[in-house]
Amino acid sequence: MKLKVIDAVFSICKVEDYSRVDLNERFVFTGCTDEEHSLVCPVNLVPDNTTERNDGWRAFRIEGVLDFSLIGVLSKISACLAANNIGIFVLSTYHTDYILTKTENFLRAIEALTKEGYSVV
């Protein structure tokens, strides 16, 4: 399985609302619940109505379109990273999944996944 490195540093944020978020930018992810408005985006796109933020995340995505019938794809990746004491933040889109790690753990994550047989490009 191929994993593609995303060339950006991300922030995971809580925002008042999405009025200052450009949803047409690449790699902007939102999640709205009854408790919060969450935003994950490149650090340079963090809006000024952010109430909390955690900077310094790097990401890679699982290449290709993942069929909804596939089982265990994220489980295997997260188990590999957990075995190497690397925490993750995961985002899913219609086609695939994105795995984020803190910047200081990113190279170790790539090494661990490569040793496990993943191709990281």
Side-chain angles (χ1 to χ4, degrees):
M1 183 167 285
K2 278 189 183 177
L3 306 172
K4 179 177 168 74
V5 172
I6 306 301
D7 188 25
V9 177
F10 291 87
S11 291
I12 300 171
C13 310
K14 190 172 170 182
V15 295
E16 293 171 4
D17 58 43
Y18 299 120
S19 62
R20 298 185 182 145
V21 177
D22 185 349
L23 297 175
N24 291 311
E25 288 284 348
R26 291 182 180 185
F27 305 114
V28 172
F29 304 89
T30 62
C32 181
T33 71
D34 60 336
E35 297 180 338
E36 65 180 303
H37 290 84
S38 291
L39 170 69
V40 178
C41 66
V43 292
N44 63 311
L45 299 177
V46 173
D48 61 4
N49 66 344
T50 296
T51 59
E52 295 179 48
R53 69 189 279 178
N54 191 300
D55 296 331
W57 293 82
R58 295 290 314 275
F60 53 87
R61 75 169 161 233
I62 301 170
E63 284 290 273
V65 176
L66 300 179
D67 187 89
F68 288 115
S69 65
L70 292 175
I71 297 170
V73 174
L74 277 176
S75 174
K76 290 176 184 172
I77 292 172
S78 65
C80 172
L81 296 176
N84 286 276
N85 294 315
I86 299 170
I88 62 173
F89 187 93
V90 177
L91 296 160
S92 294
T93 65
Y94 191 87
H95 282 184
T96 193
D97 298 311
Y98 292 76
I99 297 91
L100 288 79
T101 71
K102 289 297 279 185
T103 299
E104 59 267 21
N105 296 322
F106 195 66
L107 291 178
R108 281 191 319 115
I110 290 172
E111 289 172 9
L113 291 164
T114 300
K115 282 171 104 174
E116 197 69 24
Y118 292 91
S119 172
V120 182
V121 294

